Amino acid sequence: MSNRLASATSPYLLQHADNPVDWWEWGDDAFAEARRRDVPLFISVGYSACHWCHVMAHESFEDEAIADYLRENFVSVKVDREERPDVDAVYMTATQALTGHGGWPMTVFVTPDGEPFYAGTYFPPTPHHNLPSFGQLIEAVHGTWTADPERVREAAGRITSSLAERQMAVDDAEMSTAAVTDAVKAGVDSLASSYDYVRGGFGGAPKFPPSMVLEFLLRAHALSGDPRARAMVEGTCAAMARGGMYDQLAGGFARYSVDADWVVPHFEKMLYDNALLLRVYAHWWRATGDPLAARIVEETAGFLLSDMRSAEGGFISALDADTEGVEGKAYAWTPQQLIEVLGDSDGQWAAALFEVTESGTFEHGLSVLQLRTDPQDVDRWLLVRDRLLQARANRVQPGRDDKIVAAWNGLAIAALAEAGALFERPEWITAAVESAQLLVSVHMTPQGRLRRVSRDGAVGVHAGVLDDHACVAEAFDVLYQVTGEPFWLERAEGLLEIILEHFGLDDTGGFFDTADDAEQLVLRPRDPSDNASPSGWSAAASALLMHAALTDDRRYREAAEASLAPLVSLGARHARFAGWGMATAVAWLDGPREVAILTPDPASSLPTPDPASSLPTPDPASSLYRAALLSSAPGLVIVRGVVGSAQPLLADRTVIDGVATAYLCRHFVCDAPTTSPTDLARTLNSRTP
């Protein structure tokens, strides 16, 4: 029989709808039931693509005896961390404080008032590696509660108070040019000290894609010319793209590498990783022209459009790590399997190319495909890749978490729009626009606020958190620059007004993750540090600074500066956890720079073709735009339009000699206009703010 989760919209909760556990969804009803029975709540937090969540579900939550014990002594609550990042943030803070580490599945026991008193992550079905079994754990927790519930409540209260005090402790930095410049250098120094100069990436195993840190390093190199910053980007991007964490057949990145060499991935593919990495590789290509970067951009954008789009035009959350309960089953190969698909000659060639060995690089004699060097015979490579993709498509495919998360779609919109402009791929821009239209039509309330998730075109009930509003605001501002449609600028401004009104700015110069009128948890989560994606705080600072550059509205710049100060302080000491904030700080140092490109009018913006030439005459407006677009100036914004436009960067400006003209500005104070793409590029590539 199905439990209460059968009516959930979350794919993760629906995976547990047939468990014998008497699950409740998070909400007032569950807490009311705990108070009525005077029992603690067992809160299990995970997500659809989580391998160990599936393992614990199979080992413990499908066990009738475990289910009976939980039903009798607890109120059991299942939470999708991607649907309720606020709940996850509160109890992950507790888990990390109590155990020194975190992860999913997250296992938390709380009082009927929601205060945590015991926490952990995965627990096995039998005692293992100094962990009690899950059955032993729940018996011990029940015994402690029944022996002295008031003592447990007092301890839970102390834990909660301590967490609240720790959460509010945030250091500020001086927002002067000299102080921020010093902090940026300190951040690069910190990263250089933990960089793996042999394998790329930072630290040891496991290695996660440091997307936001790479964006910071690209901007730091563009501003200062520090060769270490560029070397760390190139080494890491190349290593990730060559290893098993990147899908060498279909494109797209897995969540992380379990080893230090980027060979064996944790196979789940997340939207936020691929969106962030698409943007990084596009910017790496822009800075260097590296052909590997170009290939990864093409393939990752193709993966997003082919494998992660929903029927409604948005982008789904994830592809599972598991197939038929086995992690990586859809992706790994033996040499014999390659020969069966390709024949003896091509099969052996492919095994050598992909480093597929008899002993295997993964498990059970299987290997994950790597591409450490580019094949010399490109035609043969393309044919082999296509045949292997066709064969892989005949395998059982990983499950899809097909919910649409607003924040992650914001990341995908910005990445696809920027990459589409850089690579002149209008279909990528169209996909970004369609996702943005879905967010406006489905996720946006009549008051202009965002809901967190939708599925099958139906919006969920959960209010959007800070990163939803911030990531989508920046995405809309990027779309405004790429499409020239003022609609997106206006929608971005509406979201930023909501951020300023409901999420901060408090006396310490930062933002809360939840709105002031959202559901009140035992803590109001507030975290400046980036995790797998930008923190809501750093995303808000970035969006505010970009919008200020587009509108010259001092309120947005002042709000960005106030929120940046703690991020700069954090980044100077712990840059691995503040990449997005530090990238924004570099943009702040650079101005950011603003480019306005004007044409006389739509009819005269193109020159008259030369009848003696068989080649089309270059469009001067497009040439200026391309020169600006290819600049790596940190935080650069670009707006195009005709003379007489009321758009902020374009208003009250004119053209020179009746041809397309570019203005390069900081804070809307502009250099002398130019009609020369070469001059514009030279000025933009200057590192002098």
Side-chain angles (χ1 to χ4, degrees), residues 277-336:
L277 287 168
L278 173 60
R279 208 172 182 185
V280 165
Y281 279 84
H283 292 169
W284 177 33
W285 174 82
R286 180 178 64 187
T288 66
D290 193 296
L292 176 61
R295 177 169 68 81
I296 300 304
V297 169
E298 292 277 355
E299 293 174 358
T300 302
F303 162 73
L304 287 176
L305 268 62
S306 64
D307 288 29
M308 299 203 75
R309 290 196 82 190
S310 73
E312 299 77 33
F315 293 92
I316 67 168
S317 298
L319 302 181
D320 282 1
D322 299 358
T323 306
E324 299 180 305
V326 179
E327 184 176 8
K329 184 177 180 180
Y331 299 103
W333 300 80
T334 65
Q336 185 58 38

Side-chain angles (χ1 to χ4, degrees), residues 191 491 630 634:
L191 292 169
R491 290 298 176 275
L630 291 172

Side-chain angles (χ1 to χ4, degrees), residues 544-625:
L544 286 162
L545 188 67
M546 179 181 287
H547 199 74
L550 290 168
T551 62
D552 197 32
D553 191 317
R554 287 294 306 174
R555 290 186 310 124
Y556 299 124
R557 185 174 178 88
E558 290 167 0
E561 290 172 344
S563 59
L564 267 177
L567 299 178
V568 169
S569 176
L570 174 65
R573 293 174 288 113
H574 306 290
R576 287 177 64 182
F577 306 103
W580 206 252
M582 291 299 279
T584 306
V586 178
W588 178 86
L589 280 174
D590 196 47
R593 286 186 257 191
E594 309 135 358
V595 173
I597 299 173
L598 286 97
T599 52
D601 58 62
S604 60
S605 61
L606 294 175
T608 303
D610 180 359
S613 173
S614 60
L615 297 175
T617 305
D619 173 2
S622 296
S623 298
L624 288 168
Y625 178 60

Side-chain angles (χ1 to χ4, degrees), residues 637-659:
V637 299
I638 309 169
V639 178
R640 294 172 290 168
V642 298
V643 171
S645 170
Q647 293 306 302
L649 260 176
L650 305 176
D652 302 322
R653 307 195 197 285
T654 189
V655 296
I656 299 173
D657 298 329
V659 299

Side-chain angles (χ1 to χ4, degrees), residues 116-416:
F117 61 88
Y118 188 88
T121 54
Y122 165 79
F123 289 92
T126 57
H128 188 61
H129 289 301
N130 298 319
L131 281 176
S133 71
F134 184 66
Q136 290 173 326
L137 174 68
I138 57 179
E139 288 179 6
V141 171
H142 170 64
T144 302
W145 178 267
T146 55
D148 195 346
E150 288 309 310
R151 184 177 179 183
V152 174
R153 291 177 194 269
E154 290 173 4
R158 290 195 299 272
I159 291 169
T160 303
S161 296
S162 175
L163 294 176
E165 293 172 4
R166 181 186 305 184
Q167 180 178 262
M168 297 305 293
V170 178
D171 295 331
D172 277 359
E174 179 188 348
M175 286 301 293
S176 68
T177 298
V180 177
T181 299
D182 288 345
V184 168
K185 184 180 182 302
V188 175
D189 291 343
S190 171
L191 292 169
S193 69
S194 63
Y195 180 66
D196 186 336
Y197 286 88
V198 176
R199 305 175 184 88
F202 301 91
K207 279 184 174 172
F208 290 81
S211 311
M212 294 144 283
V213 165
L214 296 174
E215 184 66 34
F216 162 53
L217 289 171
L218 281 167
R219 294 188 187 187
H221 176 263
L223 188 67
S224 69
D226 189 330
R228 298 174 303 162
R230 175 168 168 168
M232 285 187 276
V233 171
E234 292 182 332
T236 302
C237 284
M240 290 192 299
R242 298 289 189 190
M245 199 183 79
Y246 183 71
D247 187 339
Q248 303 297 344
L249 297 182
F253 290 86
R255 179 68 196 94
Y256 61 86
S257 173
V258 301
D259 60 281
D261 290 300
W262 308 100
V263 175
V264 179
H266 186 43
F267 288 88
E268 63 195 19
K269 290 181 177 178
M270 311 302 297
L271 175 60
Y272 52 76
D273 284 321
N274 284 282
L276 288 164
L277 287 168
L278 173 60
R279 208 172 182 185
V280 165
Y281 279 84
H283 292 169
W284 177 33
W285 174 82
R286 180 178 64 187
T288 66
D290 193 296
L292 176 61
R295 177 169 68 81
I296 300 304
V297 169
E298 292 277 355
E299 293 174 358
T300 302
F303 162 73
L304 287 176
L305 268 62
S306 64
D307 288 29
M308 299 203 75
R309 290 196 82 190
S310 73
E312 299 77 33
F315 293 92
I316 67 168
S317 298
L319 302 181
D320 282 1
D322 299 358
T323 306
E324 299 180 305
V326 179
E327 184 176 8
K329 184 177 180 180
Y331 299 103
W333 300 80
T334 65
Q336 185 58 38
Q337 287 172 336
L338 295 178
I339 290 171
E340 289 171 0
V341 174
L342 301 171
D344 188 68
S345 176
D346 281 347
Q348 291 187 45
W349 182 80
L353 179 68
F354 290 127
E355 303 199 14
V356 176
T357 65
E358 291 293 340
S359 58
T361 59
F362 177 40
E363 297 174 345
H364 313 299
L366 294 165
S367 294
V368 183
L369 303 187
Q370 305 170 65
L371 192 65
R372 294 296 178 178
T373 58
D374 289 330
Q376 292 183 345
D377 190 338
V378 176
D379 291 338
R380 188 181 190 186
W381 149 242
L382 294 175
L383 180 61
V384 162
R385 186 184 66 177
D386 289 346
R387 290 167 66 189
L388 290 177
L389 262 177
Q390 292 173 17
R392 198 174 82 178
N394 291 326
R395 297 176 174 181
V396 178
Q397 297 300 299
R400 290 161 51 95
D401 183 338
D402 59 357
K403 68 177 180 293
I404 308 297
V405 177
W408 304 350
N409 272 255
L411 296 174
I413 291 163
L416 283 166

